[in-house]
Amino acid sequence: MVKIKVGTATCGNAAGAQKTLEKLETLIQGQSDISLSQTGCIGLCYREPIIELEINGTKFLYGDVDETNAEKIYKTHIKDNKPITELLINQSNQHYSFEKQNRIVLKNAGVINPEIIEEYIAVGGYEGLKKALQITKEEVIATVKDSGLRGRGGAGFSTGMKWEFAKNSVNDKKYVICNADEGDPGAFMDRSVLEGDPHSVIEGMMICGYAIGANEGYIYCRAEYPLAIARLKNAIAQAEKKGIVGKNIFGSTFCFDIHIKEGAGAFVCGEETALMGSIEGKRGMPRLRPPFPAVSGLWAKPTNINNVETLASVGWILSNGACAYNKIGTEKSKGTKVFALAGKIKNGGLVEVEMGIPLKEVIFGIGGGIKNDKKFKAVQMGGPSGGCIPASLIDTPVDYESITATGAIVGSGGMVVLDEDSCMVDVARYFVNFTQTESCGKCTFCRIGTKRMLEILTRITEGKGVEEDIDSLIDLANKVKDSSLCGLGQTAPNPILTTIKYFKDEYIAHIRDKKCPAGVCKELITFNITDACIGCTACKKACPTKAISGEVKKLHVIDQSLCVKCGACYNTCKFKAITK
Amino acid sequence: MHYINPITIAKQCTCQNQTDIEKFEKLGEILSMYKDEPGSLINSLYVAQTIFGYLPDKVIKFVASRLNEPVIKVFGVATFYSYFSRFPRGKYTIKVCLGTACYVRGGKTLLEKVKKELGISIGETTPDGLYTLEIVRCVGACALAPVVVVNNDTHRRVKSNQIPEILQSYISEVSNEN
Ligand SMILES: Cc1cc2nc3c(=O)[nH]c(=O)nc-3n(C[C@H](O)[C@H](O)[C@H](O)COP(=O)(O)O)c2cc1C
Ligand code: SF4
Ligand code: FES
């Protein structure tokens, strides 16, 4: 018996998994001893498209399976029984250390077919809900509290306590909301869970609904994730058909319905009060808290809102007990956390690790280190609300307290790795540009303060910075922090403050020496050809403005007045003869 | 609750070839289902944009009157969310990802290249109505950065010299249809 699974999550599809699937379909047509199915993202996104082959119980994980390789695997491995070592992931030298991971939230992603509810049930799905319905609401909340689970949406607030507040609010109508807005640009943990294991999120919402006394739930998912939305809709429909979502669930008196709301492209709608405004069909603008959602949330009813990953952990906790969860992690940060590794990293993808693991282990152990063996400079954690942790702090344990102490935040779990070619001033400018564009405009300091900070940073990257700029930035940053209503404004200065804290010399190089040490800021770099030039003419051909002249086998030169600093020559030269 | 999926409507609807009167009729029909449902304004605008391609003043006013909402509120929502467009869009929407992962892996260079190739800036449409250029802040394929999305196709690990080829492949698609 041969089983083939193709990973068809967004990452797989972007890499061409649909074509691989079609190819395999035609190849195995009419052969009843070979089955083909789809699965979610297993987390090794850098090797997509990925397929898992199971032959008589032995599993082989193949990477880079385009149509050609699919045919090769079919002929050589399936038919002739000879594994193709160079494409194998679990045997090749690019071995990805799954052992260092502990998969609770991602346990089913890349394992089951997310479009078939029976597969979720077969691996123990909805057992947590069943268990919850057999105990009292108070016991469910006590279990979640004892597990030590903290919200994975960014702030890290105790989930059990939040549920308790919502439960204690007396009202005939309450809501559960799943925050699937995943706004951090450069993070994709929630996407992967929604696409690869949608039922785990539904199960978590229902357990929450039972515990707080709600019978209706909303999933607010960003419109940029069409596949996640489709998988969720399918999952809800299947669960309704099976009687798991709807009335009198598992023979109890508990009823629960779930709706999906699509976002419409506004980062601030990830903030809980803005999100509820958006569900109500309004502009998504945050409002003052209190009243907290637990007292007055969606349509002014008590509401509990949790992140996708938080909810996806709940089913496991109920099934396995609070102790199984709280013995993982550190004293204050329990359990596991999913991180999205991206940027200048070798093995980009998703990893789920125990809280407290050293950062180094994640980036160099599991992530395989820096792409092209460049020098590691920093890791950006927490997106626009977070900060940059420099190479010198690589031994920091990954837990809420330790990461916050560096000035960054664990946030939702995005880790964008930066190398020696990344300019820290440019990175700070990038994030402020982001928050400035996404500010809802309600608070003066968030609306205008971010704009002024952006102007200063832009000026610095253009070589027009002045000495006082760093102090003005710090001053403004603190004012924006103090005078903003919601987390967007309160945390917008973090990328600036952490880069100034750890990379002040780069700011000074831009301002005083008018140099960008990383060679990123266009206005501050000049391209030059050194003696290493052998006159291959490649750069001359690559230059779009014909700024390079020179004859074959002779030293070439760049006419600086024509150079637009696009870097085409720099990227083309094979002899490292061009400097910047 | 009737959840009407705009994508399903788009598939069933031959909207592009319909007259304005037919489009308004269709929109009116769907809005009548949404009328008494709280919080349906954003969904209504989704539908309107699917039918008309964008949200001109007359459509905004129509939605407002059918839902019994002030025009200012509908206008406020339509301009708040980046998904809604106040101008006609091209047949193909090119979205260059400028999420953090794509940005640090060269997304900005790709954007410059697309701008140059098409001769338009962000938010604009080519005069032939073929391409609209937009930026997107992460589509969740960060490990394959930098990413460019054209309608529903995601192109991964794009290099700037591949841009002309990618754009060209859609032009060929158009000429094949004709
Ligand atoms: C500007 C802003 C954006 C946010 N974006 C998200 C998001 O995309 N996803 C998320 O789960 N939480 C986001 N949050 C946090 C939510 O407001 C809220 O704290 C969270 O959904 C609570 O869930 P948790 O307790 O499970 O973490 C954001 C907060 C702010 C201030
Ligand atoms: S801090 Fe910024 S985003 Fe938040 S409410 Fe104020 S203006 Fe809006
Ligand atoms: S940053 Fe471009 S896909 Fe995530």
Side-chain angles (χ1 to χ4, degrees):
Chain A
M1 192 59 208
V2 178
K3 285 189 206 158
I4 312 172
K5 285 186 206 163
V6 182
T8 52
T10 293
C11 41
N13 287 344
Q18 287 300 331
K19 285 195 179 132
T20 305
L21 190 67
E22 282 164 29
K23 183 82 196 173
L24 287 166
E25 246 161 26
T26 31
L27 286 171
I28 67 161
Q29 219 163 33
Q31 304 179 51
S32 57
D33 57 336
I34 305 180
S35 71
L36 180 65
S37 68
Q38 302 186 41
T39 187
C41 165
I42 198 162
L44 309 166
C45 308
Y46 72 109
R47 291 291 299 269
E48 292 283 0
I50 290 173
I51 70 165
E52 188 193 274
L53 194 63
E54 190 182 327
I55 302 182
N56 300 327
T58 316
K59 288 181 181 168
F60 301 86
L61 199 61
Y62 277 109
D64 308 308
V65 189
D66 55 9
E67 287 167 283
T68 325
N69 284 339
E71 188 156 8
K72 211 156 129 193
I73 292 166
Y74 174 76
K75 282 193 179 138
T76 322
H77 194 165
I78 300 179
K79 289 290 149 190
D80 296 345
N81 206 15
K82 280 185 234 138
I84 307 171
T85 7
E86 51 299 359
L87 294 177
L88 274 178
I89 292 176
N90 51 357
Q91 289 185 0
S92 71
N93 49 5
Q94 292 202 38
H95 180 80
Y96 199 91
S97 35
F98 271 112
E99 305 94 72
K100 297 213 176 85
Q101 298 194 41
N102 184 350
R103 297 187 156 225
I104 291 177
V105 171
L106 297 179
K107 62 186 181 302
N108 295 329
V111 177
I112 62 166
N113 185 334
E115 295 187 355
I116 300 178
I117 189 171
E118 286 79 10
E119 294 207 7
Y120 179 69
I121 294 172
V123 292
Y126 290 113
E127 283 303 318
L129 174 62
K130 250 185 217 162
K131 227 177 204 173
L133 293 176
Q134 287 157 5
I135 54 179
T136 64
K137 297 171 174 198
E138 289 75 13
E139 283 168 326
V140 173
I141 290 176
T143 307
V144 177
K145 255 187 173 173
D146 291 345
S147 75
L149 176 65
R150 292 169 65 173
R152 300 296 192 231
F157 189 78
S158 157
T159 306
M161 265 163 77
K162 208 187 219 180
W163 289 16
E164 193 164 51
F165 292 143
K167 180 188 166 283
N168 290 342
S169 276
V170 185
N171 207 304
D172 54 341
K173 184 82 200 169
K174 294 182 191 178
Y175 293 99
V176 175
I177 298 178
C178 167
N179 188 341
D181 198 44
E182 193 153 66
D184 175 0
F188 49 99
M189 304 74 48
D190 296 351
R191 166 187 75 68
S192 183
V193 175
L194 297 167
E195 290 176 357
D197 198 13
H199 287 287
S200 67
V201 181
I202 296 174
E203 183 174 359
M205 285 179 79
M206 298 185 60
I207 296 172
C208 173
Y210 171 72
I212 69 164
N215 57 18
E216 211 174 334
Y218 281 89
I219 303 176
Y220 186 90
C221 186
R222 67 199 297 245
E224 288 85 347
Y225 289 173
L227 184 62
I229 293 170
R231 293 254 163 94
L232 278 171
K233 280 184 187 156
N234 174 65
I236 293 171
Q238 286 188 351
E240 280 173 350
K241 219 168 174 182
K242 275 226 175 292
I244 295 175
V245 168
K247 297 223 168 345
N248 301 109
I249 293 146
F250 294 132
S252 70
T253 51
F254 176 57
C255 307
F256 199 78
D257 283 313
I258 300 179
H259 317 285
I260 298 175
K261 276 276 175 177
E262 287 177 41
F267 170 71
V268 71
C269 286
E271 196 280 335
E272 53 194 34
T273 58
L275 186 148
M276 292 175 209
S278 185
I279 294 182
E280 291 169 9
K282 298 189 240 165
R283 289 163 72 101
M285 315 246 297
R287 62 155 177 80
L288 202 64
R289 292 173 306 179
F292 284 94
V295 174
S296 172
L298 187 60
W299 284 302
K301 302 288 180 195
T303 304
N304 183 76
I305 176 164
N306 277 124
N307 164 263
V308 169
E309 199 183 323
T310 316
L311 291 167
S313 309
V314 170
W316 190 95
I317 292 172
L318 263 292
S319 292
N320 296 277
C323 292
Y325 196 82
N326 75 19
K327 69 171 194 246
I328 309 171
T330 66
E331 195 198 333
K332 287 187 176 156
S333 306
K334 298 294 182 194
T336 59
K337 174 81 194 87
V338 183
F339 290 99
L341 289 177
K344 311 282 185 74
I345 187 137
K346 269 192 193 142
N347 306 341
L350 282 186
V351 300
E352 182 170 355
V353 292
E354 299 187 355
M355 286 280 193
I357 187 176
L359 202 45
K360 191 175 182 172
E361 199 69 55
V362 178
I363 294 172
F364 287 91
I366 305 174
I370 311 303
K371 240 181 143 64
N372 304 325
D373 294 316
K374 295 253 181 181
K375 212 167 125 205
F376 170 62
K377 189 183 226 172
V379 55
Q380 208 287 339
M381 279 184 76
S385 307
C388 293
I389 303 177
S392 57
L393 297 179
I394 186 79
D395 292 319
T396 310
V398 181
D399 60 61
Y400 288 107
E401 285 68 31
S402 312
I403 296 294
T404 308
T406 68
I409 56 167
V410 170
S412 58
M415 283 195 186
V416 179
V417 175
L418 306 170
D419 69 2
E420 54 190 297
D421 293 336
S422 311
C423 167
M424 304 313 284
V425 186
D426 182 59
V427 167
R429 199 191 66 89
Y430 166 82
F431 280 113
V432 176
N433 183 24
F434 181 88
T435 38
Q436 193 272 317
T437 319
E438 296 295 337
S439 164
C440 81
K442 198 171 192 167
C443 318
T444 315
F445 271 89
C446 174
R447 183 180 71 244
I448 303 172
T450 52
K451 184 117 193 153
R452 294 289 95 85
M453 295 195 292
L454 177 62
E455 283 165 4
I456 297 176
L457 286 166
T458 305
R459 176 161 90 210
I460 297 176
T461 57
E462 287 173 349
K464 295 176 197 145
V466 290
E467 290 285 326
E468 305 83 72
D469 278 349
I470 297 182
D471 288 336
S472 316
L473 276 175
I474 297 174
D475 179 48
L476 253 175
N478 288 322
K479 286 180 175 142
V480 172
K481 248 180 192 237
D482 292 343
S483 348
S484 293
L485 173 65
C486 86
L488 190 147
Q490 288 160 4
T491 59
N494 287 354
I496 302 182
L497 292 174
T498 53
T499 48
I500 293 181
K501 182 169 170 194
Y502 298 117
F503 299 96
K504 198 167 183 178
D505 51 332
E506 273 193 47
Y507 279 83
I508 293 172
H510 281 75
I511 295 170
R512 219 173 275 166
D513 314 331
K514 309 292 175 208
K515 284 223 158 60
C516 174
V520 170
C521 302
K522 267 191 180 178
E523 278 80 358
L524 303 181
I525 45 176
T526 30
F527 289 95
N528 282 305
I529 303 180
T530 67
D531 289 347
C533 173
I534 62 149
C536 73
T537 73
C539 60
K540 194 171 151 184
K541 288 187 196 121
C543 177
T545 59
K546 300 199 165 57
I548 302 182
S549 55
E551 286 165 33
V552 185
K553 294 194 180 160
K554 287 203 178 122
L555 185 71
H556 283 48
V557 281
I558 302 176
D559 181 346
Q560 298 298 343
S561 65
L562 291 176
C563 173
V564 290
K565 297 174 182 166
C566 68
C569 55
Y570 182 83
N571 294 332
T572 309
C573 182
K574 289 200 182 79
F575 306 95
K576 296 206 166 102
I578 297 177
T579 57
K580 63 176 178 181
Chain B
M1 171 162 208
H2 351 260
Y3 182 80
I4 302 162
N5 185 350
I7 301 160
T8 328
I9 301 171
K11 280 191 181 144
Q12 296 161 348
C13 155
T14 46
C15 315
Q16 277 107 349
N17 312 321
Q18 285 177 337
T19 62
D20 264 10
I21 299 174
E22 288 168 327
K23 287 181 188 168
F24 276 118
E25 224 163 66
K26 175 122 200 164
L27 180 60
E29 206 180 291
I30 297 170
L31 291 185
S32 65
M33 295 192 262
Y34 275 143
K35 197 169 180 306
D36 299 316
E37 189 181 308
S40 60
L41 177 53
I42 294 178
N43 278 358
S44 305
L45 290 174
Y46 259 117
V47 173
Q49 178 156 305
T50 312
I51 294 174
F52 285 84
Y54 68 114
L55 299 175
D57 287 354
K58 56 181 182 187
V59 173
I60 288 186
K61 284 182 191 154
F62 182 82
V63 172
S65 74
R66 289 302 169 98
L67 295 183
N68 247 337
E69 296 274 12
V71 175
I72 181 77
K73 184 177 169 196
V74 181
F75 189 84
V77 169
T79 51
F80 183 82
Y81 295 98
S82 66
Y83 180 84
F84 299 122
S85 171
R86 297 266 296 127
F87 304 99
R89 291 191 199 205
K91 188 169 159 92
Y92 298 105
T93 303
I94 320 280
K95 293 186 190 144
V96 179
C97 181
L98 284 189
T100 322
C102 291
Y103 183 82
V104 301
R105 297 244 304 241
K108 207 161 77 169
T109 324
L110 297 183
L111 180 65
E112 292 308 315
K113 185 74 180 174
V114 179
K115 274 187 186 167
K116 214 172 119 201
E117 287 290 317
L118 296 178
I120 52 174
S121 311
I122 300 165
E124 292 179 354
T125 302
T126 50
D128 58 8
L130 266 186
Y131 300 111
T132 298
L133 174 60
E134 286 179 358
I135 56 166
V136 61
R137 293 291 185 25
C138 192
V139 294
C142 320
L144 305 170
V147 167
V148 174
V149 183
V150 184
N151 288 1
N152 295 321
D153 308 337
T154 309
H155 301 267
R156 67 180 162 143
R157 292 194 186 121
V158 180
K159 297 196 180 68
S160 78
N161 59 13
Q162 294 171 333
I163 294 286
E165 192 188 319
I166 292 174
L167 296 175
Q168 190 62 39
S169 67
Y170 294 93
I171 297 186
S172 326
E173 205 172 278
V174 173
S175 43
N176 284 345
E177 278 169 21
N178 296 337

